[in-house]
Amino acid sequence: MTSTAAPLLEVERLTFRYRRATEPAIRDLSLTLAAGEVLLVAGPSGCGKSTLIRAINGLIPHAYPGELSGSVRIDGRATTDLKLRDIGRTVGTVLQDPAKQIVGATVEAELAFGPENLGVAREEIRARIDRVVGRAGIQELVGRDTAALSGGERQLVATAGTLMMEPRLYVVDEPLANLDPATAERLLLLLRELADRGDAVLIVEHRVEEALDLRPDRVLYLDEGRERYHGPLDGFLRIADPDAVKLPFEVVLERVRAGARTAGDRRPAADLERPVDRSEPARLEFRGVRAGYGGTDVLRGVDARLERRETVAVLGPNGSGKTTLFRTAMHLLPVTAGDVLVDGTSIAGRGVADLATVFGYVFQSPSQMLFARTVREELVFGPRNLGRDPKTFDAIVEDALRRTALDGVEGILERPPLTLSFGQQKRLALAIALALEPPTLILDEPSAGQDHRTSSGFMREVLAVPGLESLYLVTHDVDLALTHADRILLFRDGEVVADGPPTAVIEDEARWIACNLRPTSLLRANVRWRVANGRFLSAEALAQRIVASDRGRAHAQEGRS
Amino acid sequence: MATMQMDRSDRSRLWEVTSRTIVYAAIGAALYGVLGLFSFLLPGTQNVTIRPAFAIVTFFGYAFGPIVGLFAGFVGNAIIDQLQGSGFLTYWNWSLANGLAGLVAGLAPLYLAAYMAGNISRRAIGGAIAGGVAAIIGFLFVFSDIWVGGSSPQTVLTGSYVPVVIADLIAAVILTPVLVYAWEPMKDQLGR
Amino acid sequence: MNIAPRFLGRGSWLSRRDPRVLVIVVVFFIFATIQVWDARLVFLLLVLAFAWYRSAAIPFSAVRRNWIFALSFVTILVLLNSVLTGERVPGAEHRYFNIPLLGTPVSAESLSYAASQWMRYIAMVAIGFPVAFCVAPADFGVTFARLGIPEKFAFGVDLTFRFLPSLAADYQQTIDAQRVRGYDPTGGKGGPVFRLKRMIPILTPLTVNAIAGAEDTIDAMDLRGFGTGKRTWLRHLRFDRTDGLIIAGFGALLVAVTVAGYVTTSSRIWVPQFLIDLASR
Ligand SMILES: Nc1ncnc2c1ncn2[C@@H]1O[C@H](COP(=O)(O)OP(=O)(O)OP(=O)(O)O)[C@@H](O)[C@H]1O
Ligand SMILES: Nc1ncnc2c1ncn2[C@@H]1O[C@H](COP(=O)(O)OP(=O)(O)OP(=O)(O)O)[C@@H](O)[C@H]1O
Ligand SMILES: [Mg+2]
Ligand SMILES: [Mg+2]
């Protein structure tokens, strides 16, 4: 057999075009991966990362028809000559969305699924489950229904389901999206362990900062289906575009020092200094609020004030009740005790639609509400429900599209909303909320599911909305929260465990970590330099300030000497 | 270097069962179950309820084939019964009637080929026709109640068949095309 | 929103049976009952059904609503049938009166028929309840597979149960998202067409998103070799002695009833004497 000499994975001049597409999704890619190696694949949305994964695990060409040239060899044998079932024994895949990858109703059923399909004997499956559960550290999840798992637990179970196939090459597609930082770290450790044991790992991730925990041997950076960089990590950090992927702060600083131009922080500075007037009634106030589902309280006595003019970020672990908090504020969920006040009066008598004119609520997943045949129809649904004058609809639509920078998309009014890209759908959801002209926006997970560039672009659009008084964010993105918020509400188990300006809230690092958050490099840097008196700056802005003050100091020293 | 050309847009694979078939079938059944359960809140005629969700069965059949339609209708209805407590199989003949409706909608390429080859509005009309035909033919199976429950043909006709066909036919004719309109533009961006 | 199957009979004698037994019993029993019309025999079947139901130890408080639903459903059906059809017994007729307007006769025979029909339905419902509440939800697929349903479809049933809770959650979120846009799922007045159209903002996103999301599920199944050969089911089902006896018993019942249908009057309506007396007064 020659297979012992061949690397585990060999991709040679691979090009693939989907059947219905006009352009290839990936072009001329080559790479090899040997046992024990870790390859990080990064790149903006739609650059072909998932397509590359499909070509490696054999879905291309066995399940996705199209035009393929070049070759993929596993253990020296071309995937075109192997059956999908056999590739599955060597290549284990964790897909982008664990909630969709899980097919079993219980954790045990999910773990057993692969070996069951391959006809592995029952006793062997049991033994494997025992081994895998131990290795993935999910003992406490055995016996649970998969529907009742949190997002992070689901990701671990999906990964464990792949471990059950006992592959030697793991391909993992954006595992960190939607995970709270602590769970993300746990997953990366597991993958690192696999590599140390001699398996190969190919991970797709644009949260590069976090993915560095995996200590990748090499990085492949893709753009528009082509290789832009392929080589060791430090080389990548030197050339990567901090606008497109999230890099550790030290790298950004280095780059700014070296004089590289970054897109910089385009956040309007005027927004930073909003006066908070505590004498006027709060926009939203929770007084001893308890609420929950089916008899169990999720919110367990929440007291909080969210002012009329401020940006508040709510942080906390998966399942801690962040979304539930704002569902009670919108009267989508009744409170079982306490009271919710909007502009000083209880919402007890107010309807959801009425509150929608105060709060523009943008849900995490935009496609969940898109139903109309055209974008225009979609935008007038709200105003029509509220009985607004149909004569004003054209103006409302035009205005909402302009404020979300969607007016530049060709033929936007007649487009079926669901055919828009994810980023555009997200903007459309914002436009829908803005069509009712609310003074306050509530954004649930504004950055999830988007690459770094799209999500920072989205936040820029939000902040540029004229007439917006306040912004309330729910997020797992620590940097996003710290750099945008005037105040942080830290949530855990349905209670507010901390409430204050970013600098105050992060002081207690133990508490921070207990909320499944982690000190990011940007957070640490902001604490260390404290250049902006109590405010957090984005990586680019902070780096520029540091460089500027370094230069200033250098000048001063020169002057003195 | 091998260049592979593969195209599997072959329409004659009506009866193929792949993992795609099973997943769509299960989603159809679960959707029918979820939406069907909730629409029980809107009671209609005597023993039949308005079930807007019936359009799920005809749409899944029309869009994904007879097997998907059959499964979605049969299992979906059985699940509604199951969750309501009558058990998966107690009203098996009604579940089968729902399944047959899905199957008939899925056979549309055999009797609506002209429509399904047209543009999107023609395909939407095709969906409405297939949905209507499916309700009329599929529910003929409820006449098995004559044998199962000892009802007279007259009772089944006026008490079950006519009301259920009217309610479900309206649902299918109105909502199936709506779903076709929503789904078609997305189809090209997904799928294999 | 809890729409997962409820395993209320957990730990009962019936729940310790091989789940296939529950399904086979339902099938045998329904096909036996269908052939019987003599109210005395139907009553015995009803007793048997309730004995079976009792062995599932389903707490009544948890299923009160299900029973109310089933009872009213069956009662309405039987009443409707009586009102529309009247007596269906050939031969002598002992009429009490005719229903106004419709003119359907109400007689000793039609009452007997209705009573029999009602008991038959209730017996079938009672025997079916344990399938709803006494089979572990995770056992459905393997039960059907081992009863001879093709494995892919049997797994499809498992998969359906897997999708139920997540779709119910999506349903809730879609309703929320639309309510925030002023949509009112219950408000407004109108005929059936209006009410159907009001479903569109819920039905459309829910369906289209579910289908779009299926892509990953399909990939995940293909990648783990689904449907490429004979599969093992982790859950091992085996009939024990009791199971065998139960199946034999219900099988014997089915055979006996079928034979009795030819050689006795079990498949005909029995009219109690007191009902006949009532008519002649
Ligand atoms: N099934 C398909 N049929 C046709 N085109 C497709 C299909 N899947 C993906 N594409 C297209 O191929 C290109 C690459 O997509 P791919 O999913 O590989 O990107 P990605 O890098 O994984 O993006 P993301 O970060 O958003 O997951 C995109 O332009 C996409 O629209
Ligand atoms: N509709 C519902 N029915 C029952 N339980 C629910 C429902 N929605 C949420 N829960 C439960 O309430 C708890 C809090 O959920 P919530 O969505 O508020 O968390 P979260 O903090 O927003 O989490 P994440 O960061 O994962 O979005 C969780 O345990 C969740 O399982
Ligand atoms: Mg991808
Ligand atoms: Mg949330």
Side-chain angles (χ1 to χ4, degrees):
Chain A
M1 289 270 297
T2 54
S3 64
T4 42
L8 202 45
L9 169 70
E10 269 178 296
V11 177
E12 217 176 300
R13 313 213 56 183
L14 185 71
T15 300
F16 180 75
R17 180 178 63 78
Y18 287 100
R19 174 157 59 98
R20 292 202 183 88
T22 50
E23 292 285 298
I26 46 177
R27 300 167 202 252
D28 207 19
L29 295 183
S30 301
L31 62 99
T32 59
L33 202 58
E37 285 189 319
V38 177
L39 174 71
L40 169 65
V41 179
S45 214
C47 69
K49 304 183 293 292
S50 298
T51 307
L52 174 63
I53 282 188
R54 285 187 190 130
I56 291 171
N57 62 29
L59 285 173
I60 293 173
H62 292 291
Y64 287 82
E67 197 179 309
L68 175 76
S69 68
S71 71
V72 177
R73 282 192 298 278
I74 309 284
D75 261 346
R77 299 175 63 189
T79 51
T80 44
D81 302 337
L82 290 165
K83 288 209 186 78
L84 207 47
R85 174 187 171 97
D86 298 320
I87 300 174
R89 292 174 199 265
T90 314
V91 183
T93 312
V94 184
L95 297 167
Q96 210 158 339
D97 184 351
K100 309 241 162 72
Q101 160 157 26
I102 289 179
V103 297
T106 63
V107 171
E108 211 179 17
E110 171 62 17
L111 295 184
F113 179 73
E116 278 182 337
N117 290 333
L118 299 182
V120 175
R122 235 172 245 124
E123 300 68 44
E124 165 66 9
I125 299 181
R126 290 245 156 69
R128 278 197 207 177
I129 290 181
D130 285 344
R131 254 177 288 151
V132 165
V133 160
R135 194 180 305 151
I138 53 169
Q139 288 85 349
E140 74 279 6
L141 301 184
V142 177
R144 297 258 301 270
D145 285 348
T146 48
L149 300 177
S150 76
E153 292 167 341
R154 256 183 224 151
Q155 184 68 267
L156 289 172
V157 169
T159 311
T162 308
L163 286 170
M164 287 291 293
M165 304 284 282
E166 307 198 325
R168 285 179 296 136
L169 166 62
Y170 290 86
V171 290
V172 190
D173 201 350
E174 295 196 38
L176 306 185
N178 288 319
L179 292 194
D180 61 38
T183 317
E185 202 172 335
R186 189 164 154 202
L187 183 73
L188 291 173
L189 272 177
L190 173 63
L191 293 173
R192 182 66 242 174
E193 246 172 63
L194 292 172
D196 290 341
R197 254 191 10 182
D199 296 331
V201 176
L202 185 153
I203 180 176
V204 165
E205 187 55 66
H206 54 240
R207 277 163 71 175
V208 170
E209 165 166 17
E210 275 96 331
L212 293 185
D213 283 357
L214 200 54
R215 288 178 274 122
D217 298 293
R218 270 169 300 129
V219 181
L220 172 64
Y221 186 74
L222 299 180
D223 200 4
E224 295 181 350
R226 294 177 204 275
E227 171 188 314
R228 282 293 129 91
Y229 175 85
H230 187 184
L233 180 65
D234 40 347
F236 171 68
L237 293 179
R238 268 199 303 278
I239 63 108
D241 177 0
D243 231 16
V245 291
K246 198 156 153 253
L247 299 172
F249 176 73
E250 289 71 28
V251 175
V252 177
L253 179 59
E254 199 94 337
R255 302 277 289 278
V256 171
R257 280 215 170 104
R261 273 211 47 80
T262 68
D265 184 16
R266 272 172 249 151
R267 191 170 152 210
D271 275 356
L272 299 179
E273 265 59 62
R274 287 205 196 108
V276 172
D277 182 358
R278 285 240 166 201
S279 63
E280 63 180 355
R283 166 76 7 106
L284 178 58
E285 185 173 358
F286 298 91
R287 286 196 190 150
V289 167
R290 302 178 77 89
Y293 308 93
T296 45
D297 276 353
V298 171
L299 302 182
R300 303 185 304 166
V302 174
D303 288 288
R305 268 176 76 97
L306 289 85
E307 302 299 337
R308 188 180 286 250
R309 290 169 205 285
E310 70 174 338
T311 301
V312 182
V314 181
L315 291 173
N318 287 116
S320 58
K322 305 181 295 293
T323 300
T324 305
L325 181 74
F326 287 109
R327 291 189 67 211
T328 62
M330 293 301 289
H331 220 169
L332 290 166
L333 186 72
V335 298
T336 52
D339 202 1
V340 179
L341 288 81
V342 169
D343 291 326
T345 50
S346 167
I347 61 164
R350 299 180 71 172
V352 177
D354 180 22
L355 289 166
T357 58
V358 182
F359 301 110
Y361 195 148
V362 182
F363 286 79
Q364 173 170 348
S365 162
S367 57
Q368 243 162 18
M369 63 173 172
L370 303 179
F371 72 98
R373 260 181 227 177
T374 64
V375 166
R376 196 194 125 82
E377 283 292 304
E378 200 72 64
L379 280 167
V380 299
F381 180 65
R384 184 175 289 143
N385 283 332
L386 294 185
R388 300 274 160 87
D389 178 8
K391 281 195 233 74
T392 62
F393 285 178
D394 280 330
I396 291 177
V397 167
E398 195 186 318
D399 195 45
L401 290 177
R402 190 167 31 73
R403 287 198 283 170
T404 48
L406 273 174
D407 51 352
V409 180
E410 203 175 297
I412 181 78
L413 284 177
E414 297 307 317
R415 278 283 287 274
L418 286 162
T419 64
L420 298 173
S421 75
F422 186 84
Q424 290 167 336
Q425 286 185 13
K426 198 98 190 168
R427 285 198 160 87
L428 179 58
L430 178 64
I432 286 169
L434 292 177
L436 300 178
E437 307 200 309
T440 298
L441 276 178
I442 299 172
L443 308 181
D444 201 340
E445 303 285 1
S447 61
Q450 305 182 78
D451 64 23
H452 192 52
R453 192 195 308 257
T454 351
S455 78
S456 16
F458 179 74
M459 285 310 293
R460 270 199 300 278
E461 309 306 345
V462 170
L463 291 166
V465 169
L468 188 67
E469 294 178 357
S470 35
L471 178 64
Y472 307 148
L473 306 164
V474 174
T475 184
H476 288 299
D477 189 333
V478 169
D479 289 349
L480 176 98
L482 291 176
T483 51
H484 287 88
D486 305 311
R487 201 148 58 86
I488 305 267
L489 287 184
L490 206 51
F491 238 72
R492 213 177 124 206
D493 296 335
E495 288 173 60
V496 178
V497 293
D499 175 358
T503 38
V505 169
I506 56 140
E507 255 160 26
D508 187 346
E509 203 169 290
R511 181 175 62 196
W512 194 244
I513 287 165
C515 289
N516 277 13
L517 298 166
R518 74 178 221 167
T520 58
S521 62
L522 178 62
L523 183 158
R524 291 228 159 100
N526 265 298
V527 171
R528 183 167 148 218
W529 274 284
R530 282 189 186 278
V531 287
N533 43 24
R535 289 218 122 262
F536 271 80
L537 294 177
S538 70
E540 293 80 7
L542 180 60
Q544 267 152 10
R545 292 250 189 135
I546 292 170
V547 170
S549 74
D550 282 356
R551 288 208 186 107
R553 217 175 298 134
H555 277 302
Q557 254 158 30
E558 267 167 39
R560 238 175 274 133
S561 61
Chain B
M1 233 87 325
T3 298
M4 292 197 33
Q5 269 290 354
M6 309 214 323
D7 205 288
R8 299 198 305 178
S9 54
D10 193 353
R11 273 209 172 271
S12 67
R13 296 191 165 183
L14 220 49
W15 303 101
E16 198 182 39
V17 182
T18 62
S19 41
R20 176 165 294 264
T21 320
I22 299 297
V23 172
Y24 284 153
I27 287 184
L31 270 175
Y32 189 34
V34 168
L35 288 161
L37 263 184
F38 295 125
S39 55
F40 264 89
L41 305 173
L42 311 167
T45 42
Q46 314 90 11
N47 55 21
V48 184
T49 41
I50 299 176
R51 248 193 217 181
F54 178 71
I56 298 278
V57 176
T58 51
F59 170 72
F60 271 72
Y62 183 67
F64 306 121
I67 301 216
V68 172
L70 175 66
F71 188 99
F74 181 83
V75 177
N77 191 71
I79 285 215
I80 296 174
D81 286 347
Q82 166 86 0
L83 296 177
Q84 276 179 339
S86 336
F88 211 75
L89 296 172
T90 309
Y91 302 115
W92 58 276
N93 58 330
W94 277 81
S95 298
L96 202 52
N98 275 280
L100 288 174
L103 178 102
V104 171
L107 293 176
L110 302 184
Y111 55 87
L112 287 177
Y115 267 101
M116 297 181 73
N119 58 16
I120 180 164
S121 46
R122 294 272 299 232
R123 281 197 295 280
I125 296 172
I129 299 174
V133 172
I136 293 169
I137 296 182
F139 282 106
L140 283 176
F141 197 76
V142 303
F143 279 98
S144 57
D145 261 353
I146 297 169
W147 170 59
V148 173
S151 299
S152 67
Q154 194 194 355
T155 309
V156 176
L157 183 71
T158 52
S160 303
Y161 182 73
V162 170
V164 82
V165 166
I166 290 179
D168 283 356
L169 185 128
I170 297 175
V173 167
I174 292 181
L175 296 179
T176 313
V178 170
L179 291 173
V180 172
Y181 258 112
W183 165 238
E184 288 260 336
M186 281 192 75
K187 208 163 90 180
D188 289 344
Q189 304 190 335
L190 298 162
R192 297 173 170 181
Chain C
M1 199 166 344
N2 186 13
I3 66 151
R6 295 180 290 165
F7 189 16
L8 296 170
R10 195 189 296 272
S12 64
W13 178 79
L14 208 53
S15 73
R16 289 195 301 274
R17 305 277 63 82
D18 184 315
R20 284 175 295 176
V21 172
L22 274 69
V23 174
I24 292 171
V25 162
V26 170
V27 173
F28 283 2
F29 185 86
I30 287 183
F31 280 89
T33 310
I34 284 172
Q35 304 179 51
V36 181
W37 280 104
D38 186 320
R40 292 164 297 183
L41 254 175
V42 174
F43 182 73
L44 287 182
L45 289 174
L46 185 65
V47 170
L48 176 63
F50 269 95
W52 182 253
Y53 171 77
R54 281 296 299 263
S55 69
I58 300 167
F60 180 68
S61 57
V63 292
R64 186 183 292 122
R65 287 185 41 191
N66 306 91
W67 271 112
I68 291 173
F69 181 82
L71 285 173
S72 43
F73 181 87
V74 168
T75 308
I76 289 172
L77 196 80
V78 170
L79 278 180
L80 186 76
N81 191 51
S82 317
V83 168
L84 285 177
T85 316
E87 90 277 29
R88 312 213 306 175
V89 184
E93 176 192 302
H94 304 85
R95 184 180 307 217
Y96 305 136
F97 58 88
N98 288 348
I99 295 174
L101 296 177
L102 288 169
T104 322
V106 174
S107 64
E109 287 72 25
S110 71
L111 281 189
S112 306
Y113 190 88
S116 231
Q117 196 187 14
W118 190 85
M119 286 194 293
R120 277 165 45 122
Y121 265 122
I122 297 300
M124 290 192 231
V125 170
I127 210 100
F129 255 62
V131 177
F133 298 119
C134 217
V135 177
D139 284 351
F140 265 94
V142 64
T143 302
F144 288 119
R146 297 288 307 277
L147 283 169
I149 306 285
E151 286 187 331
K152 285 186 185 174
F153 291 100
F155 184 78
V157 175
D158 273 351
L159 200 56
T160 307
F161 281 108
R162 137 79 177 86
F163 283 128
L164 272 179
S166 56
L167 284 175
D170 291 349
Y171 173 84
Q172 180 67 54
Q173 279 178 28
T174 299
I175 291 227
D176 282 359
Q178 304 300 34
R179 286 180 69 197
V180 163
R181 299 164 74 188
Y183 166 85
D184 183 352
T186 54
K189 279 195 279 290
V193 173
F194 172 83
R195 290 205 277 179
L196 282 172
K197 286 200 163 156
R198 201 173 50 197
M199 284 293 288
I200 293 174
I202 305 297
L203 186 68
T204 310
L206 196 60
T207 308
V208 173
N209 277 310
I211 298 171
E215 220 60 33
D216 273 358
T217 314
I218 296 163
D219 285 356
M221 287 171 61
D222 281 342
L223 287 169
R224 284 184 283 168
F226 178 74
T228 53
K230 180 139 183 57
R231 91 193 288 276
T232 352
W233 294 81
L234 182 60
R235 172 83 155 97
H236 188 37
L237 296 184
R238 212 175 353 194
F239 290 128
D240 63 12
R241 246 178 81 86
T242 322
D243 295 334
L245 286 174
I246 293 172
I247 292 173
F250 277 86
L253 174 77
L254 177 57
V255 172
V257 161
T258 310
V259 172
Y262 289 107
V263 300
T264 71
T265 57
S266 67
S267 63
R268 273 185 246 138
I269 290 295
W270 169 73
V271 186
Q273 193 58 43
F274 76 91
L275 285 178
I276 297 175
D277 293 346
L278 217 58
S280 49
R281 265 201 284 134

